[in-house]
Amino acid sequence: MKSFLKNLRYAGQYTLLLGTGLWLLTACGREKSSQYQSVDTAMGTVIRQTVYATQDASEIMAGIRREITTLEDEWISRRKKSSQIYQINAQSGSEKGIDVPEYLLQMLENIFQVSEESGGTLDITIGEAVRLWNIDEYAVLDGSGSADVKEVQEFQVPAREALAQALERAGYEKVKTEGEKIYLPQGTTLDLGAVGKGMACDEVLGYLKEQPAVQGAVITIGGSILTYGQKPEGGAWKVGIIDPRDTDGYMGRLVLEGQWCVSTSGDYERYVEKDGVRYHHIIDPSTGYPADAGLISVTILSRDGWLSDALSTACFVLGAEKSVALLEKYDAYAVMVEKDGNIILSPGMEQYFRAE
Ligand code: ADP
Ligand code: MG
């Protein structure tokens, strides 16, 4: 858990309070809006909320948390039997097709379109290969390189043959949708790990829009961040981008007005280092191995959470050069860090990015 606290932060301003139910209240001047903060966990990651509201925001913050856990439990969890994705995966191979509720079908079609446009670098059917690597289990959890040595010694690079077999069952292009149904080949499963936190940002946005007491908010869900509305005292939101090789610090920040989503995929988030090689959690679907397109961190700025999250994974696998065309298609912007520390801004990002 510790690691996620370091993923992405607002460029350091507040003291963090750990634990559910601890609120920090600060008076914010004339407009009677106050700041409320909380940190807790959901979706296997850390959720940090800063909400500016004209009334006590405890219930609103609990509501935000509920949106996130409902998305996980009822829609996208791969492990919980209660979820739609679990039920869909359990029916893989069904010849008559699998019924999918409108919301999810639309989302899956959107994701497959990103797969198509990105040359298959985002592929939500490669879960089996992801699990062969099992990076999550061994990952250096505090991002400082101080993993439990025994655990890392136990880490095994999966057999080439096993990866090849897993990739045979994968392939988004083999999945078809028609009407309200999806057709999944036998043994092919869906894993929304690469887009789930961004989708959660979208759900939270819908909820916030129904809360007249909320003037502004910054909600961090693992590597995805939603900014919404305004601060009572005015001024832009500042979203810090972690330095991928000094994860206690920032390499820059995004200065944002109003509603945005920011997602980062980096090779420092979850990885194992063995025999001098870093194995991270973003897999190139064309090889089954951790992506190695020259980038170590990609931060995407978009209006939509699912899209910023989808593109962060896709661009990481795609590499900087090819990502630029993809980003233009989706009206999104990126800060990409190359292995040598070089920072690349996609066209348009210079309006928002400030180096530290
Ligand atoms: P995080 O989960 O830390 O927010 P990402 O958004 O980059 O990071 O998603 C990475 C997760 O997505 C991995 O942990 C894995 O479950 C899954 N994944 C890895 N590579 C791919 C890929 N090429 N396409 C789709 N999903 C992927
Ligand atoms: Mg992603």
Side-chain angles (χ1 to χ4, degrees), residues 10-231:
Y10 334 129
Q13 67 262 68
Y14 310 117
T15 312
L16 284 178
L17 293 176
L18 289 169
T20 315
L22 284 175
W23 317 119
L24 178 69
L25 181 59
T26 327
C28 283
R30 283 177 286 141
E31 285 161 279
K32 285 193 192 147
S33 212
S34 302
Q35 184 201 72
Y36 301 82
Q37 288 192 307
S38 75
V39 181
D40 65 326
T41 58
M43 265 187 145
T45 192
V46 173
I47 314 293
R48 267 181 285 155
Q49 305 191 30
T50 299
V51 174
Y52 296 91
T54 51
Q55 65 182 51
D56 182 279
S58 311
E59 275 184 25
I60 291 168
M61 294 167 105
I64 289 171
R65 195 175 186 287
R66 218 162 32 242
E67 291 291 323
I68 299 167
T69 53
T70 301
L71 178 71
E72 169 77 347
D73 295 351
E74 294 179 16
W75 292 94
I76 65 174
S77 171
R78 196 176 47 74
R79 293 193 201 88
K80 292 183 181 158
K81 285 191 176 158
S82 55
S83 92
Q84 292 286 336
I85 286 290
Y86 184 98
Q87 297 299 332
I88 291 169
N89 286 342
Q91 296 175 71
S92 93
S94 163
E95 282 172 15
K96 61 179 175 44
I98 308 157
D99 288 316
V100 182
E102 170 75 28
Y103 159 72
L104 189 56
L105 196 70
Q106 185 62 59
M107 182 53 64
L108 292 172
E109 284 176 349
N110 290 344
I111 293 166
F112 291 137
Q113 197 184 341
V114 175
S115 299
E116 192 75 44
E117 306 273 6
S118 68
T121 52
L122 174 80
D123 190 335
I124 59 168
T125 67
I126 62 156
E128 193 182 331
V130 168
R131 280 186 291 289
L132 282 176
W133 284 97
N134 205 11
I135 300 283
D136 286 2
E137 180 122 333
Y138 298 100
V140 177
L141 281 180
D142 64 1
S144 68
S146 61
D148 181 317
V149 174
K150 184 172 136 281
E151 277 192 1
V152 172
Q153 277 170 353
E154 283 168 6
F155 170 78
Q156 296 273 353
V157 172
R160 208 164 266 278
E161 186 57 25
L163 281 174
Q165 279 173 11
L167 289 189
E168 258 168 46
R169 281 185 282 277
Y172 74 93
E173 69 285 353
K174 295 183 213 152
V175 180
K176 304 278 178 245
T177 58
E178 200 184 291
E180 290 158 11
K181 288 183 188 293
I182 190 165
Y183 295 83
L184 273 187
Q186 180 68 41
T188 301
T189 55
L190 306 178
D191 181 347
L192 295 186
V195 291
K197 287 144 200 157
M199 285 171 70
C201 288
D202 295 331
E203 294 307 301
V204 170
L205 173 63
Y207 176 83
L208 285 172
K209 283 180 174 167
E210 289 165 4
Q211 308 300 321
V214 176
Q215 189 179 8
V218 179
I219 311 296
T220 303
I221 306 171
S224 289
I225 297 176
L226 169 73
T227 65
Y228 172 78
Q230 280 132 21
K231 286 182 199 170

Side-chain angles (χ1 to χ4, degrees), residues 122 193-196 198 223-224 263-265 282 306-314:
L122 174 80
V195 291
S224 289
S263 296
T264 295
S265 290
I282 301 164
W306 75 271
L307 183 60
S308 64
D309 207 357
L311 290 175
S312 73
T313 306

Side-chain angles (χ1 to χ4, degrees), residues 11 236-242 250-257 301 335 343 345 348-356:
W237 303 116
K238 296 183 185 73
V239 176
I241 301 177
I242 295 275
Y250 300 100
M251 45 161 273
R253 61 175 77 176
L254 301 184
V255 180
L256 306 171
E257 302 277 351
L301 175 64
V335 180
I343 298 172
L345 304 185
M349 183 51 112
E350 65 284 349
Q351 301 169 63
Y352 307 104
F353 180 76
R354 304 281 175 276
E356 282 294 280

